Amino acid sequence: MGDPHTPGGGPGRPPEEGPGRGRAPAGAAGSRRRHRGSRSVLARALTLARAVFVATALVTAYYLLPLDQRGPSDIPVLVSGLVLVLLVFGWEVRAIARSPFPRLKAAEALGATLALFLILFASAYYLLDRSAPGSFSESLTRTDALYFALTTFSTTGFGDIAALSQTGRVLAMAQMTGGLLLVGVAAKVLANAVEAGLRRQGGGPPEHPLPAAHHTAGHTTAPAPPAPGTATGADTRPGTGGGAPEEEA
């Protein structure tokens, strides 16, 4: 028999249990929480830095690319740019579903897609004004073209710059339609990708959960009623109704 005055040796107490034994898991959990918190802060900082870098790089490329050559090159640039936007968007959706921080990745993807979309149409407006002067109410610089693309996307419509030619108005309508799709359909696709990433990361609930009776400890389902003509299932204890079955089909 163990000594009742010895720690961990008294009756009813297992030898491995003792004072202070439960503090290590709590400390480890706190350390893990601090580690996850620091990772989350670092991920937010990196996401913000990447978003700013991508937007800055796109705007810098817009101002540095040789877009001053005259010629009907606005339509090929627009088509190739739209294909590029779709490819970038598809890649971002796959990256969101595999990212450990899908919400942050979705915000970064939306920012990059929006910046690329605006730069694309600003370049198309600028090329159209170079190739067909008079397409707009005034001659466009690169800043003017970017300003017109942004006001068209936000549906502000100040009216200081307006499309006069048929091609310019078709481009403006294409941007309006693309903006609606970007706000509606693309946002829904990104939300679905975030949901898939969260399920993949945390292992969501099963698609076909078992009934609640199977998850209740000590619960037994009622037996099936006996077939007609069988003598089994009758209770012969005194006071139970003379052997009548408990349940009637």
Side-chain angles (χ1 to χ4, degrees), residues 152-212:
T152 303
F153 176 78
S154 61
T155 67
T156 303
F158 291 117
D160 49 353
I161 300 177
L164 301 180
S165 67
Q166 296 297 310
T167 306
R169 291 177 177 177
V170 168
L171 285 178
M173 288 189 295
Q175 185 190 349
M176 295 174 193
T177 305
L180 293 176
L181 293 176
L182 183 63
V183 172
V185 178
K188 179 64 176 176
V189 171
L190 290 178
N192 291 337
V194 169
E195 197 172 325
L198 291 176
R199 285 198 305 267
R200 179 179 178 273
Q201 182 179 358
E207 296 182 359
H208 303 286
L210 294 174

Side-chain angles (χ1 to χ4, degrees), residues 212-222:
H214 293 274
H215 297 283
T216 305
H219 183 276
T220 57
T221 57

